[in-house]
């Protein structure tokens, strides 16, 4: 069972699940997770063996804009799902898409975060995910089968331009197509982020299914590349891949965050040990695929 199956990660995950388990029955949850009765009925009908919970308010800006909705979806929706699973599918393993953003201020130590790093969220999105993460940990102590997967920043084809790599790629593709002036508008280019390909993150979720017996209730797994990348260097790489010259870079204050931390990097040794997981897709291919996705999207738009 997959929640959030029509979202960015969900579309990649359902494709990967279909390839990994062609004979499996995959249910795409259609209920609103903020409606406890609806999600309970969905779980009671499906009675899944595994549930990958992706549904949520995923963009930091969206959570900031309507905090009440972010709390309702990210925390209370997760609790509704967890309670439904305990009631109607108690043997199900809940694989929760948490977020490395919950480490927040702890990244200021400069050390790669591991699963024992203190949670110290710095924005509404991170706070909602941290609350859900902690709540599931408490429920695991009471019998819920779950694993909390804290993935670091990930991108790939089909991602919304609300996220930095996709935003850069969309602007580059528009300039290539002659639909925009040769100016790219950016926020802070100095932060360094641990970046992953969404398809590698999906492989980690599937790895949790394949190695379910090795995961104790409430397990926490970081999914990270271990390599911090400067945001400005990512933009330079995309411009080079496109072969553009004479492009101006302009700072847009609306894209700046008050709580940007200098470097966020993760340690995923535990995922390597328990799942045999490691990132496999070269970063350049990730950037090429994101740019190609935006080229196709722009080309498909009516003139």
């Amino acid at each position: 069972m997959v929640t959030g199956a029509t979202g960015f990660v969900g579309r990649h995950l359902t494709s990967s699940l279909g390839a990994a388990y062609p004979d499996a029955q995959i249910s795409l949850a259609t209920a609103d997770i903020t409606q406890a009765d609806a999600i309970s009925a969905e779980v009671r009908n499906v009675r899944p063996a595994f549930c990958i919970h992706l549904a949520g308010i995923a963009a930091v800006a969206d959570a900031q804009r309507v905090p009440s909705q972010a709390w309702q979806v990210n925390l209370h929706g997760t609790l509704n799902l967890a309670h439904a699973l305990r009631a109607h599918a108690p043997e199900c393993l809940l694989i929760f898409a948490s977020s490395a953003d919950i480490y927040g201020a702890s990244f200021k130590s400069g050390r790669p975060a591991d699963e024992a790093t203190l949670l110290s969220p710095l924005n509404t999105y991170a706070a909602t995910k941290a609350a859900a993460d902690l709540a599931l940990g408490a429920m695991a102590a009471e019998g819920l089968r779950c694993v909390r997967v804290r993935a670091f920043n990930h991108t790939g084809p089909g991602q919304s331009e609300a996220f930095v790599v996709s935003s850069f790629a969309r602007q580059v593709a528009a300039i290539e197509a002659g639909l925009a002036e040769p100016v790219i508008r950016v926020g802070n280019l100095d932060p360094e982020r641990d970046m992953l390909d969404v398809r590698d993150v999906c492989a980690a979720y599937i790895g949790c299914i394949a190695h379910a017996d090795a995961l104790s209730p409430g397990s926490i797994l970081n999914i990270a590349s271990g390599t911090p990348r400067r945001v400005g260097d990512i933009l330079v790489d995309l411009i080079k891949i496109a072969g553009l010259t004479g492009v101006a870079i302009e700072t847009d204050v609306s894209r700046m965050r008050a709580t940007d931390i200098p470097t966020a990097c993760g340690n995923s040794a535990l995922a390597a040990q328990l799942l045999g997981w490691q990132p496999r897709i070269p970063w350049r291919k990730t950037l090429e695929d994101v740019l190609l996705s935006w080229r196709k999207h722009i080309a498909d738009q009516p003139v």
Side-chain angles (χ1 to χ4, degrees):
M1 182 176 183
V2 179
T3 74
T6 60
F8 164 58
V9 179
R11 293 192 300 272
H12 285 280
L13 179 63
T14 52
S15 175
S16 297
L17 281 169
Y21 299 102
D23 297 326
Q25 291 182 321
I26 301 172
S27 172
L28 310 183
T30 57
D32 180 345
I33 62 168
T34 67
Q35 303 300 314
D37 289 345
I39 197 65
S40 181
E42 185 89 9
V43 170
R44 186 169 59 248
N45 179 56
V46 175
R47 298 189 187 277
F50 300 95
C51 178
I52 304 174
H53 178 36
L54 304 176
I57 304 297
V60 171
D62 291 343
Q64 292 290 122
R65 195 174 301 111
V66 191
S68 59
Q69 183 187 37
W71 283 104
Q72 191 64 31
V73 173
N74 291 355
L75 173 58
H76 296 291
T78 298
L79 291 177
N80 288 340
L81 176 62
H83 287 304
L85 289 170
R86 284 201 58 185
H88 305 298
E91 298 304 313
C92 177
L93 175 64
L94 172 61
I95 300 166
F96 173 58
S98 187
S99 169
D101 210 20
I102 66 179
Y103 295 125
S106 290
F107 286 123
K108 294 178 182 179
S109 71
R111 296 186 298 272
D114 62 20
E115 289 80 1
T117 297
L118 179 70
L119 306 191
S120 186
L122 290 172
N123 57 64
T124 299
Y125 164 75
T128 63
K129 297 297 279 190
D133 189 301
L134 290 172
L136 291 180
M139 291 185 70
E142 299 170 346
L144 178 71
R145 290 191 68 206
C146 72
V147 55
R148 294 166 282 171
V149 180
R150 297 173 180 169
F152 281 66
N153 295 63
H154 42 291
T155 189
Q159 188 177 37
S160 160
E161 63 181 288
F163 299 87
V164 65
V165 176
S166 195
S167 173
F168 289 165
R170 182 197 63 78
Q171 293 182 75
V172 167
I175 293 169
E176 276 186 312
L179 299 177
E181 58 182 332
V183 177
I184 296 178
R185 293 170 176 82
V186 303
N188 188 356
L189 295 179
D190 290 328
E192 295 181 321
R193 295 292 181 262
D194 190 320
M195 302 295 297
L196 292 160
D197 191 293
V198 64
R199 293 160 290 194
D200 278 329
V201 174
C202 290
Y205 293 136
I206 292 173
C208 290
I209 295 173
H211 297 85
D213 292 342
L215 302 174
S216 57
S219 291
I220 300 167
L221 294 174
N222 278 352
I223 302 300
S225 72
T227 302
R229 300 180 187 277
R230 182 177 174 273
V231 172
D233 293 341
I234 295 172
L235 175 57
V236 169
D237 288 343
L238 280 166
I239 291 171
K240 287 181 177 177
I241 290 170
L244 293 178
T245 57
V247 176
I249 309 298
E250 288 187 359
T251 300
D252 179 351
V253 294
S254 70
R255 298 171 188 257
M256 304 292 280
R257 285 191 198 172
T259 56
D260 257 346
I261 54 175
T263 301
C265 184
N267 178 335
S268 58
L270 188 59
Q273 175 190 335
L274 296 180
L275 308 182
W277 179 89
Q278 62 181 0
R280 301 185 184 280
I281 298 174
W283 180 239
R284 182 181 175 88
K285 175 170 175 52
T286 301
L287 294 183
E288 289 173 343
D289 288 353
V290 175
L291 182 56
L292 179 61
S293 175
W294 274 111
R295 285 169 173 163
K296 290 180 177 177
H297 178 80
I298 289 172
D300 289 341
Q301 297 304 300
V303 177

